[in-house]
Amino acid sequence: AASGGYYISCGANKIFAEQTTITGSIGVIAHVMTFKGLMDKVGVEPETIVASSSPAKAVANDMYRNWNEADRKEVQMLLDSAYEVFISRVKAGRGAIIGNDSQVAAIADGSVYTPMEAQKAGLIDGIGYLDDAIAAAEKLAGFGAGSCEVDMLRRPGSLMGALLAEQQGLNLTNVTTGSLRHAMNEMSTTRPMYLMH
């Protein structure tokens, strides 16, 4: 759960990470390429034209020229704004566990953490697997251990997956016209997925 994965996770009541999970990477990054040097090298001179009433449209949008401070400032403003949203989500979800705002900011510098480091920092609550997370959810909900049934909804597999026996149990040595037709029918049929208890 790094970067966008942590953005989604940080609002949960409890967060478990497997032993090989990379957690954190709280930050925002943009990769920008400009092609002026390449265009000069191959002898192409591109022209960028913007409407008279929107001259700022070319700021941080024209990759065919070398960027200037105005371009960098525009992108920096967008990245900083996105970072503020990201860190506000982390503070809302994990602030009480991590500590004060300066502790959250110290952790949210773009670094990635091992599960042990993430737990010590308060980014996660425990190191474990799906069964451990289910057991914690049962406890939080006030149910006895192992008393709940977990149903996992899965999308139908792809044609390649069916041919490789992921979803349909087919063996490539005995694929028949009928089994292939059945697999294709299963994958092309849309069906609602719901649970009723």
Side-chain angles (χ1 to χ4, degrees), residues 16-171:
F16 282 81
E18 293 185 2
Q19 294 180 7
T20 56
T21 300
I22 296 171
T23 304
S25 191
I26 300 166
V28 183
I29 189 171
H31 300 285
V32 178
M33 291 186 288
T34 58
F35 297 104
K36 175 138 180 31
L38 176 63
M39 296 293 110
D40 290 345
K41 189 173 187 176
V42 296
V44 175
E45 190 171 330
E47 292 286 342
T48 301
I49 303 168
V50 297
S52 302
S53 296
S54 60
K57 184 69 176 174
V59 177
N61 278 320
D62 190 350
M63 62 184 157
Y64 295 110
R65 63 172 171 77
N66 290 329
W67 275 23
N68 58 34
E69 242 355 88
D71 300 307
R72 290 183 193 87
K73 185 177 178 182
E74 181 75 11
V75 173
Q76 188 69 56
M77 180 270 301
L78 295 171
L79 296 178
D80 290 345
S81 176
Y83 175 80
E84 287 305 317
V85 172
F86 195 163
I87 199 165
S88 73
R89 300 294 189 267
V90 175
K91 287 176 184 176
R94 305 299 295 178
I97 297 160
I98 295 172
N100 61 40
D101 286 358
S102 63
Q103 289 170 305
V104 173
I107 293 166
D109 67 352
S111 297
V112 293
Y113 302 96
T114 67
M116 289 69 71
E117 293 170 330
Q119 187 172 15
K120 184 177 178 185
L123 291 172
I124 64 171
D125 299 295
I127 300 169
Y129 297 96
L130 180 59
D131 291 340
D132 301 304
I134 291 169
E138 288 173 329
K139 185 175 180 182
L140 279 172
F143 296 113
S147 64
C148 295
E149 181 180 317
V150 177
D151 293 318
M152 293 189 190
L153 302 177
R154 300 191 195 285
R155 293 178 191 257
S158 66
L159 177 59
M160 183 59 75
L163 289 175
L164 296 175
E166 287 180 359
Q167 298 291 329
Q168 304 301 324
L170 298 175
N171 184 331

Side-chain angles (χ1 to χ4, degrees), residues 161-186:
L163 289 175
L164 296 175
E166 287 180 359
Q167 298 291 329
Q168 304 301 324
L170 298 175
N171 184 331
L172 288 177
T173 60
N174 67 355
V175 173
T176 65
T177 305
S179 63
L180 185 57
R181 186 178 296 119
H182 174 73
M184 291 180 71
N185 184 46
E186 281 293 307

